[in-house]
Amino acid sequence: MNPQPLIIEASLNGAASKHNNPQVPYTDEEIVADAVACMDAGAALIHNHTDEPIFGGSGKLDYERYAKPWRRLLELRPDAILTPTMPVGQEGVPVEDRYSHVSKMAQEGLLAQGLCDPGTFNLSLLDEDGLFASSRYLYRNDMQDSRYYVETCRELSIGLSISIFEPSFLKFILAYYRAGKLPAGGILKFYFASDELSFGMPPTVASLQAYLGMLGDCDLPWLVSSFGDDCVGCGLAEEAIKRGGHVQVGLEPYGGDRYPSNVELVQEVVALAQHYQRPAATPTEAAAIMRLPTYPAPYGAQIKGPH
């Protein structure tokens, strides 16, 4: 057993839609209210998307669509640790443009942690024959992009929210770690996925053990998330808690047969962690565990003019 406080991340929306669950937050007011409620329930980290597409579109996200609700959120909870998403790589769109909203928010003082998705995978869903449908969608981040995320976070003095969708993503980060060149601050996010999704290992103990075996003596904190499945219901959250890891839940990855709220999903993890005597980490405790180089985000000190 590991007595370290448990970092819980609430992933509020993502590709989830109100059609499937009316409780998915998307308006500015909904994002702020849901984030505050999840933090009050025990979440230390908040991740959300805006309503802009990450596939197709211009390949660039509107900075203000993130910044507007986050300014309000940080007025209410200046200790919040926030992470956005970014558009996938596509021809003709430089990585600097795809990452520009992250850089601007860090420069404004809204972020203590940047996004790092160091790899590529095919994206599809099962068709009526039980096969993955013909698709040209790539969740694309080449080696140039991947190095750009790491080095930009270093330059901005923010930590790294590191998405691990496939083992090759982890190999990239471990190379930085073993070379002694990984910036200060960060957390590995092991994204497992149900059999209906074309990426990731299944949410099983064996899959988690494989990642932990790859980690070796790497001491970066890590969490688990289960896309297309119930992270608590499938047992993955419990395994992570027992092994000293952390947990992401929320309506973005959730794939169970209920219609919960984000707060309810956070509360389930908190209750499970109490059984193993791991209290939910506060944002300040989470920042210390992740060794974030700049925390809290210096929003109030850097912003001038109307919000």
Side-chain angles (χ1 to χ4, degrees), residues 192-271:
F192 302 89
S194 65
D195 291 341
E196 290 74 27
L197 298 173
S198 60
F199 61 85
M201 292 195 288
T204 63
V205 174
S207 296
L208 178 56
Q209 286 176 329
Y211 273 135
L212 297 183
M214 289 179 65
L215 275 182
D217 61 356
C218 176
D219 62 354
L220 285 174
W222 52 271
L223 63 71
V224 300
S225 181
S226 180
F227 278 74
D229 207 334
D230 180 339
C231 194
V232 172
C234 74
L236 189 61
E238 184 171 13
E239 286 299 323
I241 291 168
K242 290 192 297 185
R243 295 164 186 261
H246 307 278
V247 179
Q248 181 197 76
V249 289
L251 296 181
E252 175 179 11
Y254 183 76
D257 56 4
R258 301 176 292 130
Y259 298 93
S261 67
N262 284 306
V263 171
E264 289 170 335
L265 295 173
V266 171
Q267 289 170 337
E268 289 175 2
V269 179
V270 170

Side-chain angles (χ1 to χ4, degrees), residues 59 85-90 93-103 113-120 139-163 169 172-173 176 182-183:
T85 191
M86 62 183 168
V88 300
Q90 56 182 291
V93 181
V95 65
E96 293 85 356
D97 287 352
R98 292 194 293 114
Y99 209 68
S100 61
H101 64 300
V102 177
S103 296
Q113 181 174 250
L115 181 64
C116 179
D117 286 13
T120 299
Y139 194 88
R140 174 183 165 185
N141 300 280
D142 60 29
M143 285 296 180
Q144 178 183 347
D145 297 344
S146 300
R147 291 186 62 149
Y148 179 85
Y149 308 144
V150 174
E151 298 308 327
T152 299
C153 288
R154 188 198 310 277
E155 292 170 8
L156 293 168
S157 295
I158 56 178
L160 290 164
S161 169
I162 306 166
S163 305
F169 288 32
F172 174 87
I173 294 298
Y176 258 98
L182 194 66

Side-chain angles (χ1 to χ4, degrees), residues 72 181 215:
R72 175 58 179 158
K181 297 183 182 298
L215 275 182

Side-chain angles (χ1 to χ4, degrees), residues 6 10 32 66 75 89 115 125-126 144 152 159 186 207 248 279 306-307:
L6 176 73
V32 172
Y66 269 112
E75 288 173 348
L115 181 64
L125 296 172
L126 292 178
Q144 178 183 347
T152 299
S207 296
Q248 181 197 76
H307 297 170

